[in-house]
Amino acid sequence: MATDTRVILICSGKGGVGKTTLTANLGISLARQGLTTAVLDADFGLRNLDLLLGLENRIVYTAQEVLEEECRLDQALVKHKQESNLSLLPAGNPRMLDWLKPDDMKRIVEMLKEQFNYVLIDCPAGVEDGFKNAMAASQEAIVVTNPEVSAVRDADRVIGLLNTNSIKPVQLVLNRVRPKMMANQEMLSIDDVTDILALPLLGLVLEDEQVIVSTNRGEPLTLNSLNSPAAKCYLNIAKRLQGEDIPLIDPAEESSGLGAKFRRLMQTKIF
Amino acid sequence: MAMTLRDIINKLLRRQPASASTARERLQLVLAHDRSDLSTELLDQMRKEILEVVAKYVEIDVDEGAVSLETEDRMTALVANLPIKRTMTGQIKLKEPKNESEENSQQTAGTDQNS
């Protein structure tokens, strides 16, 4: 039984920035560190966490049946095949909408807290009821964003709501970073995003084609492809969550050679 | 605003500046408005009223006066920059309206957003 469970909301405002991929990879990484972890898919309308984890065929019950006492919690939890420390709980069934209330989420998270070190809540996109339900059950949050204007703007809305609801700490993950574009100043820099959103940076994730390959297979990168650029980033984020002091990757270092040296020269601030 | 070597070369060659700085500027502007929930019309009306109040006490250069929202570190501030020509008693006539007579009055409109 875990006493000091951390309940972390993973949210973004905008859809498609990488919430679910981050949730899946953090879940695997934390489980690998020996921490019992539950990932709760709060996006029951359009759930996808099961698919990324390769567990889509093993879901029998959801949190809804647990709350209605049609089954026990351990019957609804889907244990991961390779990482037995990781379990998935879908909040609900895509066919049934409109049953979930903030109190329901609180109740289910309280139950999960009795068994797990970490509860990661994969938040639906948007700032409406789905987000508010998920937030009601959370203590801290990770905001995922991309270095793009629309993603940063939506992240800003979400951060405002998290602040007014006393969720803390709120940390930032900057996803889909392209070092070459940043060096050419054709992409918002890491400093630009952290300055604008005024959040501590928990980590950045490099753009990586392998992410698509891993979702095709239903095997998160941190499970089998530890050498891929994004997998290293996810592992670092999981370690930092555990309080380890891991330095951030410098995107400028990621592109090497003469071209990169030239691009760095061009970034020199003159005045 | 910080300028990099690339910005200078782009300027010399009359090329478009790199898009990251455009993105940053557009974001800062749109977020200042998002965070305050103030529309441009409301802001404009507020600007007019503020100028009217200030004009009761000091003679100001209405054309030069600017009221804007600025945002830094999740703090949004209402910044009014009102160049004073002279006070109503007429005694103090400030000599260089462009520089020294500028009165910066800053008021914090909202501490953090979405309150």
Side-chain angles (χ1 to χ4, degrees):
Chain A
M1 166 158 171
T3 46
D4 48 356
T5 308
R6 288 175 71 179
V7 183
I8 308 178
L9 180 69
I10 297 177
C11 56
S12 66
K14 187 177 180 297
V17 297
K19 281 181 301 293
T20 307
T21 312
L22 178 70
T23 310
N25 280 288
L26 271 188
I28 297 275
S29 306
L30 290 168
R32 290 208 142 183
Q33 292 183 50
L35 299 152
T36 51
T37 305
V39 287
L40 174 60
D41 193 348
D43 195 352
F44 57 93
L46 300 162
R47 67 180 193 199
N48 276 319
L49 189 54
D50 52 349
L51 210 49
L52 294 202
L53 286 167
L55 299 175
E56 67 273 20
N57 293 325
R58 297 180 44 205
I59 294 174
V60 182
Y61 299 109
T62 67
Q64 186 194 17
E65 283 87 15
V66 179
L67 287 168
E68 289 175 353
E69 293 178 3
E70 286 172 27
C71 73
R72 295 186 313 275
L73 178 63
D74 58 278
Q75 290 176 300
L77 285 166
V78 186
K79 202 168 253 190
H80 195 270
K81 287 163 279 189
Q82 280 163 271
E83 281 302 329
S84 57
N85 282 333
L86 179 70
S87 296
L88 165 76
L89 179 65
N93 191 306
R95 283 182 300 278
M96 33 196 61
L97 299 165
D98 217 41
W99 63 273
L100 218 110
K101 302 268 182 310
D103 280 343
D104 297 323
M105 285 296 278
K106 279 186 196 161
R107 272 172 61 207
I108 205 77
V109 167
E110 282 307 314
M111 292 165 85
L112 290 170
K113 277 166 83 172
E114 288 178 20
Q115 296 187 28
F116 293 95
N117 299 119
Y118 275 87
V119 178
L120 305 179
I121 304 178
D122 185 20
C123 184
V127 288
E128 293 82 26
D129 287 352
F131 168 74
K132 284 173 182 154
N133 285 336
M135 178 168 65
S138 310
Q139 290 156 356
E140 50 184 299
I142 296 174
V143 176
V144 191
T145 193
N146 298 347
E148 291 165 34
V149 283
S150 51
V152 174
R153 183 193 198 177
D154 292 356
D156 190 80
R157 282 286 311 272
V158 164
I159 294 163
L161 292 170
L162 294 169
N163 285 345
T164 47
N165 285 277
S166 310
I167 306 282
K168 62 183 149 191
V170 180
Q171 302 183 86
L172 185 71
V173 167
L174 188 54
N175 199 16
R176 307 196 69 170
V177 168
R178 295 172 183 235
K180 217 172 188 171
M181 287 192 78
M182 274 190 186
N184 285 331
Q185 293 165 51
E186 299 290 3
M187 179 172 259
L188 286 166
S189 73
I190 291 154
D191 285 348
D192 286 341
V193 179
T194 52
D195 285 354
I196 288 169
L197 297 178
L199 282 189
L201 187 61
L202 180 63
L204 46 90
V205 183
L206 297 169
E207 172 85 53
D208 186 349
E209 288 182 353
Q210 290 301 312
V211 171
I212 295 173
V213 177
S214 76
T215 53
N216 289 345
R217 298 210 169 103
E219 296 169 1
L221 284 177
T222 42
L223 198 62
N224 298 322
S225 321
L226 292 168
N227 287 322
S228 87
K232 286 181 195 161
C233 298
Y234 288 126
L235 282 173
N236 284 346
I237 292 169
K239 286 180 186 167
R240 285 191 205 105
L241 262 185
Q242 274 293 94
E244 274 188 62
D245 188 17
I246 311 277
L248 281 170
I249 293 172
D250 182 357
E253 302 290 318
E254 288 303 305
S255 48
S256 52
L258 206 60
K261 272 192 186 143
F262 178 69
R263 281 191 289 272
R264 276 203 288 280
L265 174 72
M266 296 293 270
Q267 269 182 298
T268 317
K269 287 205 169 88
I270 307 294
F271 55 83
Chain B
M1 202 192 82
M3 261 200 143
T4 61
L5 192 52
R6 178 179 299 275
D7 292 332
I8 291 171
I9 291 171
N10 282 342
K11 213 161 214 178
L12 288 175
L13 297 176
R14 288 163 200 249
R15 282 198 301 219
Q16 274 213 321
S19 63
S21 55
T22 316
R24 185 172 53 235
E25 282 156 28
R26 290 178 62 217
L27 257 175
Q28 276 164 342
L29 203 67
V30 79
L31 288 184
H33 286 270
D34 283 357
R35 287 172 184 176
S36 67
D37 285 329
L38 274 176
S39 66
T40 353
E41 296 86 63
L42 267 174
L43 193 67
D44 202 48
Q45 194 186 338
M46 187 164 63
R47 185 183 66 86
K48 271 184 202 150
E49 287 176 24
I50 289 172
L51 287 179
E52 278 168 25
V53 172
V54 178
K56 278 202 263 180
Y57 302 93
V58 288
E59 197 175 320
I60 49 173
D61 195 335
V62 181
D63 299 329
E64 293 286 311
V67 176
S68 62
L69 287 171
E70 285 177 17
T71 176
E72 202 172 296
D73 268 2
R74 305 201 66 75
M75 281 274 284
T76 302
L78 177 68
V79 179
N81 195 336
L82 312 170
I84 298 173
K85 280 181 178 166
R86 61 179 171 183
T87 62
M88 278 310 174
T89 53
Q91 285 160 333
I92 307 160
K93 175 123 183 173
L94 297 160
K95 279 166 196 161
E96 287 173 0
K98 286 279 173 204
N99 300 322
E100 287 172 25
S101 64
E102 276 194 2
E103 169 115 326
N104 280 310
S105 71
Q106 290 208 356
Q107 299 168 331
T108 303
T111 47
D112 45 2
Q113 56 148 326
N114 293 312
S115 45

